[in-house]
Amino acid sequence: MYDLDGVITRKDTFTALVVGQLMRSPLRLLRALPVLVNMLRGKKPEASRRIAEIALAGMTDTDYTALATQLGRKIAADTKWMRFSAVQRIRHQHESGAPIIIATATERRLAEALLAAAGVPYDLLSASLLNTTTSGLTVSDHRVGQRKKEALIELAVPIASAVFVTDSMTDLPTAEAASRVVLIGASERTRRRFSASKVKLAQGS
């Protein structure tokens, strides 16, 4: 099982899409500023969802698919974005017969476009979902933290026997349920926090 942002890529992909949309509209950016303040105060999950919905207001599903596909392909071709050592690791494991699961908080179509363009093989993708409304797109299933683990269980993924590759403490619920954890792209602070947890870190992580 692989996280995407921070492991396969070096930065957060859906954040890049959201920020890009906000920068195209000063009005949307102004609406998002108070929510950004709440995020800095520690209300991150709720705030990040609201900011995304402000950025995607008025957008049709077709327009979003085009935007996500374009950005996914752009990121996949960018050496500053991609962690190609992780891509090679996944390819090698897949060729050896290991089932590959990508579990990410980024949006599904963005993840699909990126993985396809980067040539990342996988057997199952668990990603966040959007919902189309009359006022634009909303986040209907943000698969982050505990919800990421729950979604994998719903998809019948045998987490207890899987090796989970991540870079973030946000993934602790999934990491605690996994057989072992491999850290790729994690900061030293995150490595220390994982070492202090009950997670079974693979040798060399």
Side-chain angles (χ1 to χ4, degrees), residues 123-192:
D123 298 279
L124 178 68
L125 171 65
S126 176
S128 294
L129 304 174
L130 300 179
N131 183 48
T132 305
T133 71
T134 54
S135 59
L137 299 173
T138 61
V139 180
S140 60
D141 188 357
H142 192 197
R143 298 187 179 183
V144 65
Q146 179 66 24
R147 177 59 193 146
K148 178 180 283 192
K149 173 187 170 182
E150 291 170 354
L152 289 168
I153 293 172
E154 291 167 9
L155 292 168
V157 174
I159 304 176
S161 60
V163 176
F164 181 42
V165 184
T166 184
D167 74 308
S168 174
M169 284 299 294
T170 305
D171 283 332
L172 186 60
T174 304
E176 288 178 332
S179 171
R180 287 179 296 135
V181 172
V182 173
L183 298 179
I184 291 179
S187 66
E188 285 303 316
R189 181 172 180 269
T190 297
R191 289 178 181 277
R192 289 194 298 270

Side-chain angles (χ1 to χ4, degrees), residues 44-165:
K44 190 170 182 179
E46 299 86 353
S48 61
R49 179 191 296 260
R50 180 60 188 139
I51 290 170
E53 292 176 351
I54 291 171
L56 301 177
M59 180 173 279
T60 67
D61 193 72
T62 300
D63 287 343
Y64 174 81
T65 298
L67 175 64
T69 301
Q70 180 184 41
L71 181 60
R73 291 172 178 171
K74 181 179 178 180
I75 290 173
D78 193 333
T79 57
K80 294 180 180 179
W81 264 93
M82 296 298 296
R83 196 182 303 277
F84 290 108
S85 58
V87 174
Q88 287 298 106
R89 175 190 173 99
I90 293 171
R91 288 174 180 168
H92 176 73
Q93 290 176 336
H94 194 260
E95 289 169 0
S96 299
I100 301 296
I101 297 162
I102 308 295
T104 178
T106 203
E107 191 276 330
R108 176 182 57 82
R109 282 165 286 184
L110 177 57
E112 286 175 339
L114 188 157
L115 294 168
V120 179
Y122 60 91
D123 298 279
L124 178 68
L125 171 65
S126 176
S128 294
L129 304 174
L130 300 179
N131 183 48
T132 305
T133 71
T134 54
S135 59
L137 299 173
T138 61
V139 180
S140 60
D141 188 357
H142 192 197
R143 298 187 179 183
V144 65
Q146 179 66 24
R147 177 59 193 146
K148 178 180 283 192
K149 173 187 170 182
E150 291 170 354
L152 289 168
I153 293 172
E154 291 167 9
L155 292 168
V157 174
I159 304 176
S161 60
V163 176
F164 181 42
V165 184

